[in-house]
Amino acid sequence: MAARVAAGAGGDEDVPLLDELMPWSVRPLRTGRPWVTAPDAATLRARWDLLVRAEGAEQDRLFRPSRLRTPRTAVAALPGQTTATGRFAREPGPYPEPVRVLHGPFDEQWLIPDHRLIDAARPELWRVADEHQLFAVEHGHVPQADGPALSVTALLPDGHSPAGRPGRIRPLHRRPGGREPNLAPGLLGLLRARYGDTGGHEVTAEAVLAWSLAVARPSPAGCHVPLPADSALWSAGVEVGRELLRLQLRGARGGERPRLPGGRRPYVRAAVPPQPTELRYDPDTEVLSLGEGHISPVPAGAWAFRVDGVRMLELWFERRTAVPAGDGLEALRPRGWPREWTSELLELITVLALLDGLRPHQEALRDRLAQAPKLSRSELRAAGILPVPAGARRPASVLDHHEEGPEGQFALL
């Protein structure tokens, strides 16, 4: 705790914000209706089929109309998706294959990628989501809450905040194919001149993201990301950040899936029942119990891991077991506990335990950074990096890509 206090003590007004280093950001997705996402893909298909079979007032009720979307709304297809664009009530079209998304930090779920069903899908994110893209998710600020200020994913994130405070989604690249880093113009050149080829690592956009992941700290204005004047400190921070990045990507982009050392890997000791209603943790035996099901060993750091003050394992479990009110589409859920949920839980425990194991390295890094000379916002202004030009805060133009508009018309963007 002392390291966090030291790192944040004073001088924040001259420490750059992530908003200045990665200036293009997008607000969180707003689905408008909870039934378009689910922890399992089969449930989404069942909901779709029921909605398609319904007619008139019953379809309206199940759809859950909003100001932006009703069964009679015609909208453009989401970029990269081939879903229907006619009015749902008249022409539902074929079932869109669900896509994997990150629902808030660390919770991988499924989403029906049909723009007619989503109030604010943020098409600008879908345009740049490909095998080269990474998304930094800046969590909403909750005063004195424990947990990281920033996370990263290769999946499309919805930006949902565990504590209900809106954050921001920041793509690493402004264009598909990993082109045009989402960094303040001139920043990479300045950092390369300052740090050189430190430790055999080139200063790249991904290195800036890794550094930010390692040292970002929350504030009411957004994440502060202090930049060191010293190249050795930069190199050490990038190394820590790359490991944080590797763990959070969970094997995406050709990396290895996270694994705890032998003897510390969690296993199912007693099968999870079809409808577990309670999650318990015993710190003495390191046993996580889901009703009569038992998983161990579960390190205490994984159980205690929080974002915005919310315990991640409890939130993950609650989203899969809470009984929705009413008889809408969200009430359709698996009849039992799908086997893949247990596998996902084991991986989540592993990721959280390994991330918790890196906290001492982050604290040591922040201690060093607190005492070291830093690149100030004033120096960035003198170098012409700040203020960030307005164009860098807007999505890049896409001039050569056709997208299907409402009712099948094509638009050139």
Side-chain angles (χ1 to χ4, degrees), residues 32-33 35 50-66 69-73 87-90 117 327-330:
R33 45 204 53 81
W35 58 263
L50 183 58
L51 183 65
V52 168
R53 290 195 302 269
E55 296 179 352
E58 177 63 8
Q59 188 176 82
D60 274 355
R61 184 186 71 81
L62 293 173
F63 189 95
R64 292 186 62 168
S66 64
R69 295 290 186 270
T70 76
R72 288 159 292 283
T73 304
R87 290 167 172 77
F88 189 93
R90 187 182 66 207
L117 311 181
D327 59 351
L329 290 174
E330 57 270 26

Side-chain angles (χ1 to χ4, degrees), residues 35 128 175 270:
W35 58 263
V128 298
R175 297 179 186 273

Side-chain angles (χ1 to χ4, degrees), residues 384-403:
I385 308 300
L386 299 181
V388 177
R393 296 191 177 280
R394 295 192 292 266
S397 298
V398 179
L399 300 176
D400 58 355
H401 182 70
H402 288 284
E403 294 178 4

